[in-house]
């Protein structure tokens, strides 16, 4: 928000500082991590992309996304994939942000198949704040998978298509929270393709 003079208000300045603080924290936590794609892009690109999708035109939260949701989006993988604890998030960012991050954090004590099923089962019951992040997270991951160089090393055609099928089951459970992101996902499920060993495949094999 700006004042009549065009200068930023104290509220918009403090929001900007909060987001910069959050981005810096996430960047430090993920600094040694890379995505598993052939380009090995820095991992921090992903949480920043998730926050951007929530804030950008096309999201139902545009043009005024709540700052705490953007913070949680930037931090959404810190507990699951780094040494960050819930207590640390509470201390640095407060209970509200920490609670959202924990909602979208998988239980690493469960086998992988059980974790994936839990995402499907729990998606409809998450808070509205967490649903925005779930949708943007899947949109970011699925967009990467269907982009040049975005397929993780070692993945097969079947695994990519199964990820799209699973992703749709997850996002179907929370799509009402953000119809804008849901529409982008639906287009992706219907039309996305990917290249694999010189051939083009439909990403979601049975949705059109």
């Amino acid at each position: 928000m700006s004042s009549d003079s065009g200068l930023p208000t104290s509220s918009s300045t403090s929001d900007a500082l909060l987001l910069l603080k959050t981005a810096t924290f996430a960047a430090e936590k993920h600094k040694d991590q890379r995505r598993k794609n052939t380009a090995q892009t820095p991992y921090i690109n992903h949480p920043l992309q998730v926050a951007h999708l929530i804030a950008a035109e096309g999201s139902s939260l545009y043009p005024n996304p709540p700052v705490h949701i953007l913070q949680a989006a930037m931090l959404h993988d810190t507990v699951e994939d780094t040494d960050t604890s819930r207590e640390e998030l509470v201390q640095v960012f407060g209970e509200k942000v920490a609670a959202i991050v924990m909602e979208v954090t998988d239980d690493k004590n469960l086998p992988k198949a059980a974790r994936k099923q839990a995402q499907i089962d729990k998606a409809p019951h998450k808070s509205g704040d967490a649903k925005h992040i779930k949708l943007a997270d899947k949109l970011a991951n699925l967009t990467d998978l269907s982009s040049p160089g975005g397929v993780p090393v070692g993945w097969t055609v079947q695994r990519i298509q199964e990820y799209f099928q699973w992703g749709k089951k997850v996002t179907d459970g929370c799509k009402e929270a953000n119809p804008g992101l849901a529409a982008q996902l639906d287009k992706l499920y219907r039309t996305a393709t990917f290249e694999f060993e010189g051939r083009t495949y439909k990403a979601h094999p049975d949705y059109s």
Side-chain angles (χ1 to χ4, degrees), residues 45-57:
N45 292 12
H46 171 67
L48 293 179
Q49 183 186 16
V50 171
H52 179 259
L53 287 168
I54 291 170
E57 189 172 2

Side-chain angles (χ1 to χ4, degrees), residues 50-193:
V50 171
H52 179 259
L53 287 168
I54 291 170
E57 189 172 2
S59 165
S60 298
L61 293 181
Y62 174 85
N64 296 303
V67 171
H68 70 278
I69 297 179
L70 298 182
Q71 288 182 280
M74 292 185 208
L75 300 167
H76 79 273
D77 278 335
T78 54
V79 173
E80 188 171 323
D81 293 332
T82 78
D83 62 359
T84 308
S85 67
R86 185 188 196 283
E87 292 70 28
E88 184 178 8
L89 291 182
V90 171
Q91 182 178 5
V92 179
F93 299 107
E95 176 61 39
K96 188 174 188 178
V97 170
I100 301 169
V101 173
M102 296 311 299
E103 268 198 271
V104 297
T105 297
D106 282 351
D107 183 353
K108 285 292 189 76
N109 292 318
L110 294 174
K112 185 175 182 179
R115 293 201 305 269
K116 290 172 75 72
Q117 185 61 46
Q119 284 203 38
I120 297 171
D121 296 341
K122 293 180 179 180
H125 310 293
K126 292 193 180 297
S127 68
D129 290 350
K131 287 179 177 180
H132 291 294
I133 296 172
K134 271 292 177 190
L135 290 168
D137 181 40
K138 291 295 181 284
L139 180 57
N141 282 333
L142 294 168
T143 299
D144 283 351
L145 274 179
S146 55
S147 300
V151 175
V153 175
W155 279 38
T156 62
V157 169
Q158 180 180 357
R159 185 170 180 183
I160 297 164
Q161 292 178 327
E162 286 177 349
Y163 190 92
F164 266 80
Q165 291 170 313
W166 167 73
K168 186 175 187 303
K169 291 177 182 178
V170 175
T171 58
D172 278 353
C174 50
K175 61 185 180 182
E176 82 290 342
N178 194 313
L181 293 180
Q184 294 178 61
L185 280 159
D186 189 69
K187 182 178 180 181
L188 201 62
Y189 294 134
R190 291 180 186 279
T191 65
T193 60

